[in-house]
Each structure stands twice: as structure tokens, then as C-alpha cells.
Amino acid sequence: MSLTVPFMLHFEFKKSSRKCYESDKEFKPGDGFYSALLECDGGQSERRDYSTDQWEGPPEDCIGWWKSRVPELGKGRVYWAPKKILIAYFEHLQTSEHTADIAFVTGLLLMQKKILTQLDSDMGEATLELHCRSSNTTYPLAVVEISPKRLAAIQQELAEKLFVDQPMAGDMEGEESSGEVNSE
């Protein structure tokens, strides 16, 4: 059985704040920086960006991290964080019932980007069975009803945590597309 969720097809993502977590200094075009996705109290997560001179390695409770560069002005594109980070974040979300709605949206987005595929299963309409080909891992995903207001909040949270201004080199090899997401 396949689930069709038409309201999940078009997402609008905004770019990160482009400021160093430690120094609060704004990044300029061409600056390199590190992004870390951290597990915080209560099962919440947070993205922190660090300038290269402030980076001392991954912080404690780090789910994943990556290095980026601020693009030249006017490019107007937003890309996914590395696939391994997206999967690690999805797995992290599934560890708490308080993040079931975010896990559901993240799972659908990973399906949309063909990182996860939906399997035909006998799990019922309340649960999807998703599969990651690269790790040969299967994930049960609870289907959650989400109000339009909550959906907008989740989109904003995902944009702040998981999207970057440039494609990640390792993620582009052998793919049909670069993982680009339109930003308005």
C-alpha cells in the first residue's frame, strides 16, 4: 500500500542565519564554516554554525556535522545537508514520541529526494515502511496528521537545521540531480 500526501509536495525553505554560534560574527560570501546538528534537552535538536577559526571539532551530543562555504551573493539556491546527516537526523527523530510529526515530514522529504523509498507492507495505514538502499535499513514511520500551521513551523525548523547554500560534493556523485531545493 502506498500513501499519497499531496500537501507535502511543495516546500519553501529559507536560508540559515549565516552567523557563528560562538562569536555571533556574520559570515560573508566566500567564508568557510562548519555546521553541527546537536541533540539538546528533551530530545530537541539544534543547528549551530561555526566560523573556521571557532571550530574545535564536533560538539558533545553531535548527531552530525559538515563543512560549507557561503556562496557569492545572488545565487539564490538552497541544498540539502549531506545524506548521512539527513539519515542520522531522521533516525534521531524516531527515538522520541515528541518528535513524531517532524519525523513524519522528514521521512516524506527523504522519500521525495529518493533517499528513502516506501515499501509495500502489511503494517496498516497508520505506519509506513521506508527503506534506505545505501544502508539496507528499513524504518517504520508513524503517519501523523499535521495542521497547516504546524507544517509551516516544521518546514522552518528543517530549513534552519538541514539546508545549506551549496551542494555537498560527496552527495552529488552518481545522482540524477544535485539535491537542489528552490528558495523563494
Side-chain angles (χ1 to χ4, degrees), residues 44-45 89 93 102 150 152-162:
Q44 298 296 312
S45 58
Y89 184 61
L93 291 170
I102 303 170
R150 178 64 182 140
I154 291 171
Q155 288 177 340
Q156 181 62 36
E157 181 177 335
L158 292 175
E160 291 170 359
K161 293 178 182 174
L162 299 174

Side-chain angles (χ1 to χ4, degrees), residues 121-141:
S121 72
D122 298 327
M123 298 184 88
E125 292 184 20
T127 305
L128 300 176
E129 189 173 19
L130 305 182
H131 184 258
C132 178
R133 285 173 280 173
S134 62
S135 67
N136 198 28
T137 305
T138 301
Y139 303 96
L141 180 64

Side-chain angles (χ1 to χ4, degrees), residues 52-160:
T52 54
D53 62 335
Q54 295 291 323
W55 180 253
E56 297 178 357
E60 193 172 315
D61 297 326
C62 186
I63 298 169
W65 62 274
W66 64 94
K67 185 176 182 180
S68 298
R69 182 167 306 281
V70 178
E72 297 302 319
L73 297 174
K75 291 203 176 174
R77 295 187 238 182
V78 180
Y79 299 89
W80 291 89
K83 285 183 186 179
K84 289 180 183 179
I85 304 301
L86 295 171
I87 293 292
Y89 184 61
F90 176 68
E91 290 173 347
H92 168 75
L93 291 170
Q94 291 194 304
T95 63
S96 171
E97 64 187 46
H98 301 292
T99 57
D101 57 349
I102 303 170
F104 180 62
V105 173
T106 303
L108 292 175
L109 287 171
L110 293 175
M111 285 173 43
Q112 182 181 7
K113 299 310 288 177
K114 299 182 182 357
I115 295 170
L116 298 178
T117 56
Q118 183 179 349
L119 300 175
D120 289 330
S121 72
D122 298 327
M123 298 184 88
E125 292 184 20
T127 305
L128 300 176
E129 189 173 19
L130 305 182
H131 184 258
C132 178
R133 285 173 280 173
S134 62
S135 67
N136 198 28
T137 305
T138 301
Y139 303 96
L141 180 64
V143 175
V144 178
E145 280 193 42
I146 303 171
S147 72
K149 184 177 179 180
R150 178 64 182 140
L151 179 60
I154 291 171
Q155 288 177 340
Q156 181 62 36
E157 181 177 335
L158 292 175
E160 291 170 359

